[in-house]
Amino acid sequence: MEAVRGMIFTCIGRGHGAPAIPATREDWEKMRREPWLQQMCERVKKGDDELKNRLPWWTPHCAEYQNNHRAIADAVRPLNRLMLDFDEKGHTDEILEKLGIENGEIKADTCKPLLPLFAEESVRGGSHVLVELPVGMSAEEAQEIMKRVTGFEPDKVVKGVDRCIYMVSDDHTRYVNPRLFETHPQPLSVSEGSGQTQGQTQTAEVSTPLPHREGTGESLHFKGIPYSSIIDEWWRRNGGEPAEGERNVKLHKLAVNLRAICDNKKEVLMQVMPRFGLTDVELKSVVDSACKEEPKGVSKVMQGILDALEMGIPSDEAEDAEVVAEETGVKVNVKTLPIGLRESLVGVPVTMHMPVLCSVMPIAAAYADQVTVEYCDGNTHRLGLMSIIRGEQASNKSVCKNAVDIWKRQLDEEDSLARKREEEWKERKKGRKANEKAPEDPHVLIRVVPVTVSCSTLLKRFKNAQGHTIYSFGEELDTLRKTNGAGSWSSKYDIYRLSFDFGEWGQDYNSDAAESGVVNVAYNWTMLGTNGAMRKCFKSDNIENGLSSRILVAEMPDSSFSKMPKFGKRSAEDEARIQEAVTRLRSFTGLVDVPRLRKAIETWVEEKRVEAAKDIDHVKDTYRKRAAVIGFRCGVIFHMLSGCARESKSCLDFALMMAEYCLSQQIKVFGEALRNEYVNAQDECQRYGANHSIFDQLAPSFSMDDLRALKRGYCGESALRNIITRWRRDGWIEKTDSKHWSKIKVKVNSEK
């Protein structure tokens, strides 16, 4: 047999009849990234059937053949795997969702005891799913399980270990499990206690899955997280590893907490538990003792460890993540983020994840400027976004600038050439002779402008934009405020407000020296600033006219008396993936349909309406509407970056997270000023929190005097009558006599 160096995981060949050459993981991945392979796939997709036989292929059912001869008799290292073909076109993402696979990760073991190893969309739109079979299960039984789980029937022809599959380019790949590349994987076994024996077809959902080996030796994982990492984090949070005299006590406590994620299986605990010198008999005694206690599910501490490790948070930041989640109400799961957004958070402390995400959203949306989307109300939107990252001096706002700078590279490179042309034109115009005709304006496209740009120059940039979105990044919000202090701030303010909805703006001067015209404003920006600058820019007279509700505000963590944060560095590969994300966004044109996202946002904004109505909270009612729009547009960006055919659950979760964060920050920063405007105008009432709902505080039967007493004089009579009218219209109350109303319990409960 030919000797092959490196890790052999499969065999590949070039074209029909080529020998089965053992290959490394690097060989496989490199071939799938070849430009010529992508071109071949495109030609086959368009109908070049003869070219299909010239595609390279690989053998997922066997790792090695004797003398590189692909035949059943020469199979040296067969693998207990089955490649399932789904011929129905265009259903790959739906099949993956049924299998519990989202954004390249397994989120739920829906097809247990089968283990998905690889999934791709075939060159003609079908689906390939490679699964590993447990010991004793036949291929036919596996096909029945997949049919039940996915709702699609795979090809019933059972292929042998000599089967090859044509290789397609990497952009067709939807999921790859690291176990795919193992040469001697530990055999899977059917879970005990599920009413199933080896070789029987699974007919019902199985409870919490047993952890399976994803490596050889003692490397065990729980839902992709190594047990060694879980145990290391446990020691860090619970006083460190056991010292002399406390070994059995600490190991017993660890076993009690691990058993919930080991499906209460003693044999699994015996494999994952550290020993610290214990013999098998002694460790078994500790495990037996731990398992005698009544199971209580995953403890709060263990769940916190799993959440932190699942999000990829370093150990020394895990507690910070929990504090941030408690303070802001949102938790960024880095692992579920798509390309570009995930790499933007590399090296960023967890407390700064939201500010960095909010800072890159406007530039990401600016790249997708050829896209339109239909919102919940039926109107068509473009992706207009503006964000302000606020924080006190020396609060490390530069971490946002570093991320934006990488995203901005392609625009900067293109603008540098355009600015050079413009400078040359200015020099020719300046150096021409008195009787010489002025050179023609090149009308260059420049998309990145300083925030201090004059209105006249900004109008010129809009006129030359060729349908693209202009972008600005400002390091100091206070600088912007000062440059607009001579009266032009109000004009710039109108431009910003109109840009959110792609509105019309212009100016008309009777002079050749000033720019004139009317344009649709497509202008996204990101600004950094202190809280003081925010207060000066958004005074009471600037709150109510609409800009405050159109801004995505993010808050840097309080750095008072805190230790210096540690920042990591993005690799060249991380930066390249951000550029790949930029290219992906620029490739989208026309209407992007997101029905699931529309439904999720519509539900969220209605829930907030009910909350605001019960609290008579006009501030929340005002800000919830555009917070929903902002969250929706962020969700669209996520969806385009994810590359999925339809919106994934992670996409919906991300959009709702951004909407929730946007609403809370807008209320926190601008709410009091807007509330004072309402109070001063005697139009509305003081806002109450969710725990002080006015409606809930009223008795089942109440009068106007009862409501007036709760409002404590903040509402006039007309406002109180409006409140009663609104509640009646929503079906919350009914009138019982001339002075009393009663709550309608069934209808109110249905709203909760």
Side-chain angles (χ1 to χ4, degrees):
M1 186 183 302
E2 295 183 5
V4 182
R5 303 175 64 182
M7 181 181 69
I8 305 170
F9 78 94
T10 189
C11 299
I12 61 176
R14 288 289 305 276
H16 184 71
I21 306 297
T24 64
R25 173 178 182 172
E26 289 73 22
D27 295 331
W28 185 81
E29 292 177 336
K30 180 180 178 182
M31 182 170 288
R32 294 174 71 85
R33 290 195 296 264
E34 291 286 354
W36 55 260
L37 179 57
Q38 186 173 19
Q39 294 170 8
M40 288 179 70
C41 290
E42 288 296 325
R43 290 174 59 186
V44 173
K45 185 176 181 180
K46 293 177 181 178
D48 192 343
D49 293 331
E50 293 183 1
L51 190 62
K52 182 177 180 181
N53 291 330
R54 295 168 56 192
L55 286 169
W57 48 262
W58 58 296
T59 58
H61 297 163
C62 188
E64 190 176 359
Y65 297 92
Q66 187 166 351
N67 298 320
N68 296 340
H69 182 246
R70 184 171 59 88
I72 295 176
D74 292 319
V76 176
R77 197 182 305 167
L79 300 168
N80 198 29
R81 297 171 177 178
L82 178 66
M83 181 68 81
L84 296 144
D85 292 345
F86 296 89
D87 294 329
E88 290 87 351
K89 297 181 180 180
H91 296 288
T92 303
D93 291 313
E94 185 177 350
I95 290 172
L96 294 186
E97 186 176 4
K98 296 286 183 62
L99 295 177
I101 298 173
E102 291 183 15
N103 296 320
E105 295 180 0
I106 294 182
K107 301 299 182 183
D109 296 286
T110 58
C111 66
K112 186 184 174 184
L114 303 176
L115 174 63
L117 296 178
F118 172 79
E120 69 178 9
E121 185 178 50
S122 70
V123 71
R124 291 175 177 168
S127 308
H128 294 154
V129 179
L130 178 67
V131 296
E132 186 164 355
L133 311 182
V135 175
M137 178 174 286
S138 68
E140 291 81 2
E141 291 166 346
Q143 290 171 336
E144 285 298 316
I145 292 175
M146 292 297 284
K147 178 182 176 181
R148 175 180 53 79
V149 172
T150 66
F152 295 90
E153 185 168 357
D155 184 356
K156 285 188 173 296
V157 178
V158 179
K159 308 295 174 62
V161 295
D162 61 333
R163 183 210 182 171
C164 71
I165 179 171
Y166 288 116
M167 190 174 288
V168 294
S169 53
D170 192 57
D171 57 333
H172 288 254
T173 304
R174 295 291 186 268
Y175 171 71
V176 178
N177 189 320
R179 187 176 171 91
L180 171 68
F181 305 105
E182 292 178 15
T183 56
H184 297 284
Q186 183 76 15
L188 291 180
S189 60
V190 178
S191 299
E192 297 177 7
S194 63
Q196 181 181 345
T197 59
Q198 291 183 352
Q200 291 180 323
T201 302
Q202 187 180 21
T203 58
E205 286 291 321
V206 183
S207 59
T208 306
L210 282 176
H212 58 266
R213 292 182 181 270
E214 296 193 3
T216 56
E218 296 300 319
S219 179
L220 288 169
H221 293 220
F222 172 75
K223 294 184 178 179
I225 306 172
Y227 273 95
S228 58
S229 299
I230 297 172
I231 293 170
D232 288 344
E233 183 64 15
W234 171 267
W235 293 134
R236 197 188 68 80
R237 296 192 183 198
N238 291 275
E241 295 181 352
E244 187 176 353
E246 59 181 13
R247 179 182 61 183
N248 286 13
V249 174
K250 279 202 167 187
L251 287 176
H252 175 271
K253 186 176 180 181
L254 172 62
V256 168
N257 280 270
L258 281 177
R259 60 182 293 207
I261 62 174
C262 291
D263 203 22
N264 296 310
K265 302 287 185 185
K266 292 182 182 180
E267 63 272 21
V268 180
L269 274 173
M270 287 294 294
Q271 293 181 71
V272 302
M273 281 287 292
R275 294 176 178 266
F276 293 103
L278 291 181
T279 65
D280 287 347
V281 175
E282 291 170 329
L283 181 61
K284 187 176 185 303
S285 176
V286 172
V287 169
D288 287 341
S289 175
C291 290
K292 284 180 181 178
E293 298 187 18
E294 189 71 23
K296 299 179 181 179
V298 180
S299 67
K300 185 176 180 180
V301 175
M302 181 59 71
Q303 190 60 56
I305 291 172
L306 296 175
D307 289 345
L309 293 174
E310 184 181 3
M311 291 188 293
I313 299 172
S315 296
D316 57 353
E317 296 184 25
E319 288 93 343
D320 289 341
E322 294 170 11
V323 171
V324 169
E326 188 173 343
E327 289 179 352
T328 63
V330 300
K331 182 185 291 186
V332 181
N333 191 338
V334 179
K335 287 190 174 182
T336 64
L337 294 179
I339 183 173
L341 299 185
R342 183 171 57 248
E343 288 75 20
S344 298
L345 301 185
V346 171
V348 176
V350 66
T351 54
M352 304 176 191
H353 280 181
M354 279 306 293
V356 171
L357 276 179
C358 293
S359 67
V360 301
M361 277 295 153
I363 180 81
Y367 280 118
D369 55 7
Q370 302 304 299
V371 163
T372 57
V373 286
E374 182 184 330
Y375 189 57
C376 315
D377 58 6
N379 287 320
T380 300
H381 288 199
R382 290 181 54 154
L383 301 181
L385 286 175
M386 299 168 282
S387 67
I388 295 179
I389 315 302
R390 67 185 185 95
E392 297 301 339
Q393 296 183 39
S395 58
N396 296 292
K397 292 188 290 293
S398 60
V399 70
C400 299
K401 179 182 183 301
N402 296 337
V404 171
D405 283 346
I406 299 174
W407 276 85
K408 198 158 56 75
R409 280 181 187 170
Q410 291 192 26
L411 290 183
D412 286 339
E413 291 171 0
E414 294 164 7
D415 282 2
S416 65
L417 298 175
R419 288 186 182 279
K420 184 178 180 181
R421 284 182 56 203
E422 190 174 58
E423 287 299 319
E424 292 172 350
W425 167 74
K426 288 180 181 178
E427 289 298 322
R428 291 198 306 271
K429 184 178 179 182
K430 181 179 174 182
R432 78 185 193 280
K433 296 178 181 179
N435 60 349
E436 189 177 350
K437 185 180 178 181
E440 186 178 351
D441 189 335
H443 299 289
V444 294
L445 169 62
I446 293 177
R447 295 185 58 186
V448 179
V449 300
V451 294
T452 54
V453 63
S454 68
C455 290
S456 182
T457 302
L458 186 56
L459 178 57
K460 178 181 179 180
R461 299 301 183 216
F462 285 143
K463 289 169 67 176
N464 295 335
Q466 302 171 21
H468 291 292
T469 297
I470 305 298
Y471 178 76
S472 287
F473 177 81
E475 293 190 54
E476 292 294 342
L477 184 60
D478 199 47
T479 301
L480 175 71
R481 183 187 66 82
K482 290 176 180 177
T483 58
N484 288 281
S488 58
W489 161 252
S490 59
S491 178
K492 272 288 200 45
Y493 189 93
D494 290 339
I495 296 171
Y496 299 152
R497 188 159 46 87
L498 290 167
S499 68
F500 189 80
D501 300 307
F502 196 54
E504 277 192 354
W505 168 80
Q507 55 189 19
D508 198 358
Y509 292 109
N510 217 357
S511 168
D512 293 337
E515 197 74 30
S516 297
V518 177
V519 294
N520 283 101
V521 181
Y523 188 21
N524 290 7
W525 47 256
T526 304
M527 297 188 196
L528 315 179
T530 62
N531 294 318
M534 283 279 289
R535 287 191 294 270
K536 291 174 182 176
C537 284
F538 293 91
K539 295 180 180 178
S540 58
D541 57 339
N542 286 333
I543 293 292
E544 201 176 3
N545 63 3
L547 181 60
S548 64
S549 64
R550 290 170 165 88
I551 293 176
L552 175 57
V553 182
E555 183 179 11
M556 294 296 294
D558 185 4
S559 58
S560 304
F561 312 108
S562 61
K563 293 182 179 180
M564 182 180 294
K566 301 295 184 182
F567 298 93
K569 290 186 178 180
R570 296 180 185 88
S571 66
E573 184 179 355
D574 292 329
E575 295 185 1
R577 287 180 66 79
I578 292 177
Q579 299 310 311
E580 184 181 339
V582 168
T583 302
R584 182 175 296 183
L585 290 172
R586 301 182 83 170
S587 68
F588 280 88
T589 58
L591 181 68
V592 174
D593 192 25
V594 283
R596 297 183 69 195
L597 183 56
R598 279 198 299 273
K599 182 63 177 177
I601 289 294
E602 185 177 7
T603 301
W604 181 87
V605 78
E606 174 61 15
E607 289 172 354
K608 297 304 172 185
R609 184 195 70 81
V610 172
E611 290 177 14
K614 289 178 65 177
D615 291 344
I616 319 174
D617 187 344
H618 194 80
V619 171
K620 178 182 282 188
D621 188 53
T622 298
Y623 284 123
R624 70 177 173 92
K625 301 168 187 175
R626 291 203 177 97
V629 175
I630 291 170
F632 174 77
R633 293 178 183 180
C634 291
V636 173
I637 294 168
F638 185 108
H639 172 60
M640 290 189 291
L641 289 174
S642 68
C644 297
R646 59 201 298 256
E647 312 92 292
S648 64
K649 183 179 183 300
S650 296
C651 172
L652 306 184
D653 292 342
F654 179 81
L656 297 179
M657 177 189 75
M658 296 301 292
E660 194 73 45
Y661 183 76
C662 178
L663 177 60
S664 66
Q665 286 295 314
Q666 287 178 346
I667 292 175
K668 184 175 182 179
V669 178
F670 307 121
E672 191 63 33
L674 182 59
R675 188 178 305 117
N676 290 337
E677 289 292 307
Y678 291 138
V679 172
N680 292 340
Q682 296 184 351
D683 287 334
E684 279 294 338
C685 317
Q686 183 185 30
R687 183 177 72 89
Y688 283 76
N691 296 326
H692 301 85
S693 170
I694 298 302
F695 184 85
D696 289 340
Q697 291 181 65
L698 289 168
S701 179
F702 63 92
S703 66
M704 182 69 81
D705 289 336
D706 297 327
L707 180 60
R708 189 180 295 112
L710 282 174
K711 296 313 297 177
R712 301 189 183 101
Y714 282 100
C715 280
E717 290 300 312
S718 62
L720 292 174
R721 284 193 294 273
N722 286 336
I723 292 166
I724 293 295
T725 300
R726 191 179 304 138
W727 285 350
R728 284 189 68 181
R729 184 187 63 216
D730 290 344
W732 292 11
I733 61 174
E734 61 184 1
K735 195 165 187 176
T736 54
D737 58 43
S738 60
K739 295 184 178 180
H740 291 84
W741 292 266
S742 63
K743 297 180 180 180
I744 303 174
K745 293 183 179 180
V746 174
K747 292 184 179 180
V748 172
N749 288 337
S750 68
E751 293 279 7
K752 292 182 180 180

